[in-house]
Amino acid sequence: MQFNIKDAKDREKLLLEIMYYIMDVKYMDRKKFISIPEEYITEGDYPLGLIWADLREAYDQNQLSADEIRFLLKMRMQLTDSPQKDLCIWLDRADEVEAYYKEHGTLSMPNTTLFYDGVNMFQWLHYQKKLYKQGELSSYQIARLEAMGMQWIKPRQIAEWDKAYSYAKQYFEANGHLFVPKKYVTSDGFALGKWIEEQRDNYLGLSSHKISDKRIDMLEEIGMFWEDLKNAEWDWFVGLLRECIRKTEKPFAIGRNYRYKNYALGEKVSEVIKQYADGSLTAEQESDLRKAGFKFNRHIK
């Protein structure tokens, strides 16, 4: 069944079915928010649970307007896990901030600027930045504030990140990967290994800071892996070795100084051969290499 939240008849029908649902299960006596199982279908074959889930997903994907969100809140749909008790209040605050932005063209304001009800607007905006760093704003809230010109990171911090990224990009261009040792420091003293680890912590939610989707994409473009690094590095190496062997028209010996796509493939192969010789290479790793076409008696010298 197609449901369009912008259609008045569809909204009226949904509201009616919600009222029947509340009376049927006496929901009002038990919880503040309504939770409807996705498989729930009314006696009249109305897929209430599926529509309810789709609307929640639409909110999570930032596909609803402020008015549509208010409509869902009136029906007691829980739209956010934010510590803010009432999203309606947040929407009203955002409306006032948006009006300020349209009038002044900026969110820079005196620290005495107030909302109509006397609450400090300047402090409210700074509190949103705190919630953002803690990952407690929804995608809708983030997009709404960014559309008004909200900057989560100070320009100086942005410049510092871009500079660090340039070091990471140089490392990738020189080595063909971004598996940077934790203690690695560039020739001019930048702790690139520590910075890469901090970006992973931000991505995995292991720190109070958050990394934007744009920055995630930028790092992935230069070979960033986020999880299970040991296996990721091995799988990446085997894939690169397989590609190298396949693209070489005739058997060749991989010397220690051999590089492929700027990666020190020969050095890694030499390390693997040493592990093979001393028995520290696992049977699974040996199998991976043989499946990739690597022949221990042919591809080394």
Side-chain angles (χ1 to χ4, degrees), residues 9 56 59 61-62 98 121 144-145 188 245 282:
K9 291 184 179 180
R56 174 60 195 260
Y59 171 79
Q61 298 298 322
N62 191 28
E98 188 171 27
M121 183 183 292
R144 182 85 190 273
L145 290 168
D188 54 356
I245 293 173
T282 68

Side-chain angles (χ1 to χ4, degrees), residues 132-133 146 151-166 168-169 178 195-196 198-200 202-203 209-226:
Y132 174 84
K133 289 181 179 180
E146 287 179 346
Q151 291 187 348
W152 307 109
I153 305 173
K154 294 180 180 180
R156 180 182 175 184
Q157 291 176 302
I158 294 174
E160 290 174 352
W161 194 94
D162 288 342
K163 183 178 180 180
Y165 177 79
S166 69
K169 189 173 182 180
L178 211 58
W195 183 82
I196 290 291
E198 288 173 352
Q199 304 314 298
R200 288 199 179 97
N202 295 344
Y203 175 86
H209 299 286
K210 189 174 182 180
I211 184 169
S212 68
D213 290 342
K214 180 180 179 181
R215 289 180 174 180
I216 291 172
D217 291 341
M218 289 174 66
L219 286 168
E220 288 181 347
E221 285 176 1
I222 57 173
M224 183 69 148
F225 284 85
W226 305 104

Side-chain angles (χ1 to χ4, degrees), residues 26-35 76:
K26 297 181 181 177
Y27 208 90
M28 192 176 296
D29 298 333
R30 299 207 300 267
K31 292 185 179 180
K32 177 182 177 182
F33 294 108
I34 298 174
S35 178
R76 306 207 323 276

